[in-house]
């Protein structure tokens, strides 16, 4: 789509709601998932009692991250493609188990939540359209429990109507973020081609976009950002850009689970997942390298096998290499699942055991990661305090090598599925 639908800058999107400056300071890229207070406490506890003292806080942080919820509301009139959008965001098709019901009539009589198939704390909510007989505008905000949702996606399939505008203004009043989405763009273009035979696709898309923007400006939104998407063709139009916008507007903790929940539609998505998971490794390594560790067969250093293997299995699921995810991807791509599985290293598709770790050589090389590298790349405030722990470094080495292998395999699967270079 190129330059047709360039997002407004942060200042222009202020009407969509935003985080306070204190939240932004407390949770930056450098501190990753810890507040400055937590980082200071980690450093102090380590200095007074070593790894044993910091393990409880890190264990609690890992648990909290796994329990963090992300609730995304999808609303609009019946027939606008809400259910199809929700299914696509979850990597599902309409006939998959657990898929949202797709129909041309209003199938949603109350907020219906749909959990992600591998990350159940990520949930999409299909909301009824506002202004119907069942849900008049006056009662809509209360009955839909607006405070529950992290942000709202307002979907139309024709043009944004009065109820869409009213809803957006109420969401803005509550300080929540919202996004205008025009769906079924593929159907629009198909209809035009049937009527005109030959069309200039870029020009037609620009007309649709301009019409949406003009309508919203006339309704009181000075700089509206509108995304044109097709949920049936998520690799085209503005679908990927919409996801990037959603990701960019979330804080670090919720950004993490949003990215990990994205369907593997491109190599770039796999790489973004890898970058998120890489930030977790030092926490797993701290837990695995502490007291109560047992030797990994083939290594002289000690690691907690349960934590180590659990982390690797978690990485594989997030990267879409578990059997269920491969089945869904194969179905979406129209490929036999065996063809996708054939591209993955054999040990990665089975049970992860200490023997698999040894055979794949994930911990065979000499650990050379320095404290300086930790300080620069991962946890600037506390990275240096773990430099002397050989078991920490060994676990870190194994998980880093495992994530690298898993990411490369996930990238290959996506390339084969969608026949990209």
């Amino acid at each position: 789509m190129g330059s047709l639908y360039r997002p407004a800058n942060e200042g222009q999107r202020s009407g969509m709601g935003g985080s306070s400056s204190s939240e932004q300071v407390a949770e930056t890229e450098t501190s990753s998932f810890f507040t400055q207070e937590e980082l200071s406490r980690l450093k102090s506890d380590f200095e007074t009692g070593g790894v044993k003292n910091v393990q409880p806080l890190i264990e609690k942080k890992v648990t909290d991250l796994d329990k963090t919820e992300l609730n995304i509301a999808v609303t609009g009139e019946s027939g606008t493609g809400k259910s199809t959008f929700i299914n696509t965001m979850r990597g599902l098709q309409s006939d998959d188990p657990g898929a949202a019901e797709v129909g041309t009539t209003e199938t949603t009589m109350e907020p219906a939540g749909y959990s992600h198939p591998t990350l159940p704390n990520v949930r999409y909510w299909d909301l009824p359209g506002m202004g119907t007989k069942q849900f008049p505008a006056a009662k809509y905000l209360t009955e839909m429990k607006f405070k529950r949702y992290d942000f709202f996606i307002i979907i139309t399939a024709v043009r944004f109507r009065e109820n869409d505008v009213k809803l957006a203004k109420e969401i803005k009043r509550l300080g929540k973020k919202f996004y205008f989405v025009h769906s079924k763009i593929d159907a629009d273009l198909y209809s035009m081609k049937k009527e005109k035979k030959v069309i200039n696709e870029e020009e037609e898309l620009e007309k649709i976009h301009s019409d949406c923007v003009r309508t919203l400006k006339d309704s009181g939104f000075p700089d509206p950002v509108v995304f044109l998407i097709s949920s049936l063709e998520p690799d085209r139009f503005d679908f990927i850009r919409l996801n990037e916008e959603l990701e960019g507007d979330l804080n670090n903790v919720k950004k993490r689970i949003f990215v990990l929940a994205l369907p593997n539609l491109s190599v770039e998505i796999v790489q973004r997942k890898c970058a998120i998971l890489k930030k977790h490794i030092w926490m797993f390594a701290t837990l695995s390298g502490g007291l109560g560790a047992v030797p990994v067969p083939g290594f002289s250093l000690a690691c907690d096998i349960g934590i180590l293997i659990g982390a690797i299995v978690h990485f594989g699921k997030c990267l879409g290499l578990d059997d269920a995810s491969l089945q869904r991807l194969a179905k979406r791509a129209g490929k036999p699942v065996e063809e996708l599985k054939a591209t993955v290293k054999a040990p990665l598709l089975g049970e992860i055991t200490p023997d698999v770790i040894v055979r794949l050589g994930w911990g065979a090389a000499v650990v050379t990661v320095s404290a300086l590298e930790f300080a620069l790349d991962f946890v600037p405030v506390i990275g240096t305090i773990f430099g002397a722990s050989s078991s920490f470094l060994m676990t870190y080495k194994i998980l880093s090598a495992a994530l690298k292998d898993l990411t490369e395999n996930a990238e290959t699967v996506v390339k084969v599925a969608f026949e990209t270079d």
Side-chain angles (χ1 to χ4, degrees):
M1 293 300 300
S3 61
L4 286 179
Y5 313 112
R6 190 179 306 280
N9 61 36
E10 291 298 321
Q12 290 174 314
R13 287 192 286 114
S14 61
M16 297 164 65
S19 302
S20 68
S21 58
S22 61
E23 289 175 336
Q24 294 168 350
V25 170
E27 192 155 2
T28 66
E29 288 296 334
T30 54
S31 64
S32 196
F33 310 122
F34 287 82
T35 65
Q36 293 299 324
E37 181 181 352
E38 289 171 332
L39 291 172
S40 297
R41 180 181 166 190
L42 279 173
K43 185 176 181 180
S44 173
D45 286 354
F46 180 84
E47 290 172 347
T48 58
V51 173
K52 180 181 178 180
N53 271 19
V54 303
Q55 278 186 311
L57 179 56
I58 292 178
E59 187 171 6
K60 181 180 184 300
K61 176 60 67 171
V62 170
T63 301
D64 289 346
L65 287 174
D66 287 341
K67 291 182 178 179
T68 299
E69 291 188 357
L70 179 63
N71 291 291
I72 301 169
V74 182
T75 185
E77 296 182 358
S78 62
T80 56
K82 294 180 294 179
S83 296
T84 304
F85 174 80
I86 288 172
N87 289 335
T88 300
M89 290 296 292
R90 297 159 67 225
L92 301 179
Q93 293 182 285
S94 60
D95 57 347
D96 286 332
E101 182 181 352
V102 176
T104 55
T105 58
E106 183 60 78
T107 57
T108 307
M109 294 295 103
E110 59 184 28
Y114 297 93
S115 296
H116 188 274
T118 56
L119 295 171
N121 48 328
V122 178
R123 179 168 292 190
Y124 287 85
W125 293 84
D126 187 351
L127 306 188
M130 186 176 78
T132 63
K133 291 182 179 179
Q134 294 90 345
F135 300 101
K139 296 182 179 180
Y140 192 82
L141 294 181
T142 302
E143 295 195 18
M144 294 304 108
K145 301 178 180 178
F146 266 33
K147 293 183 179 180
R148 159 195 293 168
Y149 311 111
D150 291 284
F151 56 80
F152 296 76
I153 296 172
I154 303 172
I155 294 184
T156 187
V158 184
R159 60 173 52 87
F160 293 101
R161 303 184 188 277
E162 182 181 358
N163 284 329
D164 298 318
V165 171
K166 286 182 179 178
L167 180 58
K169 289 181 178 178
E170 285 301 317
I171 296 171
K172 181 179 179 180
R173 185 180 63 81
L174 293 174
K176 298 277 188 174
K177 296 176 183 176
F178 59 90
Y179 304 84
F180 292 116
V181 172
H182 188 304
S183 69
K184 300 186 178 183
I185 288 299
D186 56 325
D188 289 343
L189 294 177
Y190 177 78
S191 297
M192 293 176 191
K193 290 175 182 177
K194 291 286 287 184
E195 179 183 355
K196 301 180 181 179
K197 305 301 181 185
V198 178
I199 66 170
N200 184 312
E201 189 171 289
E202 288 283 320
E203 289 182 0
E204 296 299 338
L205 290 170
E206 176 62 22
K207 289 178 184 177
I208 295 172
H209 181 262
S210 296
D211 181 61
C212 290
V213 169
R214 182 170 53 254
T215 298
L216 293 171
K217 281 186 174 181
D218 291 344
S219 299
F221 295 93
D223 295 293
V225 179
V226 179
F227 299 88
L228 308 185
I229 71 165
S230 164
S231 295
L232 298 179
E233 298 182 73
D235 58 326
R236 299 183 64 199
F237 313 113
D238 289 341
F239 199 96
I240 292 176
R241 192 173 69 78
L242 170 62
N243 284 327
E244 291 173 348
E245 193 82 356
L246 300 178
E247 175 189 343
D249 283 338
L250 291 168
N251 66 33
N252 281 338
V253 174
K254 298 210 172 186
K255 178 185 296 186
R256 160 194 174 268
I257 56 176
F258 177 77
V259 173
L260 295 180
L262 289 174
N264 283 1
L265 300 174
S266 68
V267 169
E268 289 74 21
I269 290 176
V270 173
Q271 292 170 346
R272 280 153 59 195
K273 290 183 178 183
C274 176
I276 292 288
L277 293 171
K278 194 173 184 180
K279 295 179 180 180
H280 296 190
I281 290 178
W282 74 270
M283 287 189 282
F284 288 124
T286 303
L287 297 178
S288 179
L291 297 177
V294 295
V296 176
F299 305 122
S300 60
L301 299 175
C303 308
D304 186 297
I305 299 297
I307 292 174
L308 188 64
I309 291 177
I312 294 172
V313 170
H314 174 66
F315 291 170
K317 285 186 177 181
C318 290
L319 292 167
L321 292 177
D322 59 296
D323 189 71
S325 295
L326 289 171
Q327 291 278 0
R328 290 191 294 268
L329 181 61
K331 184 180 178 184
R332 172 167 289 281
K335 298 284 182 70
V337 70
E338 292 76 15
E339 184 177 343
L340 301 189
K341 289 184 176 181
T343 68
V344 182
K345 285 183 181 179
L348 297 180
L349 292 178
E351 182 183 3
I352 301 297
T353 65
D355 179 61
V356 168
I357 294 173
V358 174
R359 280 192 289 139
L360 290 173
W362 286 340
V366 176
V367 176
T368 58
V369 181
S370 69
L372 178 61
E373 287 176 298
F374 287 118
L376 289 176
D377 296 334
F378 299 101
V379 201
V381 177
I382 64 172
T384 57
I385 69 178
F386 297 109
S389 172
S390 59
S391 56
F392 169 87
L393 290 175
M394 175 54 75
T395 305
Y396 187 92
K397 175 66 177 180
I398 293 172
L399 291 182
S400 295
L403 179 58
K404 181 176 182 293
D405 264 8
L406 291 165
T407 300
E408 289 174 352
N409 279 268
E411 290 175 352
T412 301
V413 167
V414 170
K415 290 176 183 177
V416 171
F418 299 110
E419 299 181 353
T420 57
D421 294 330

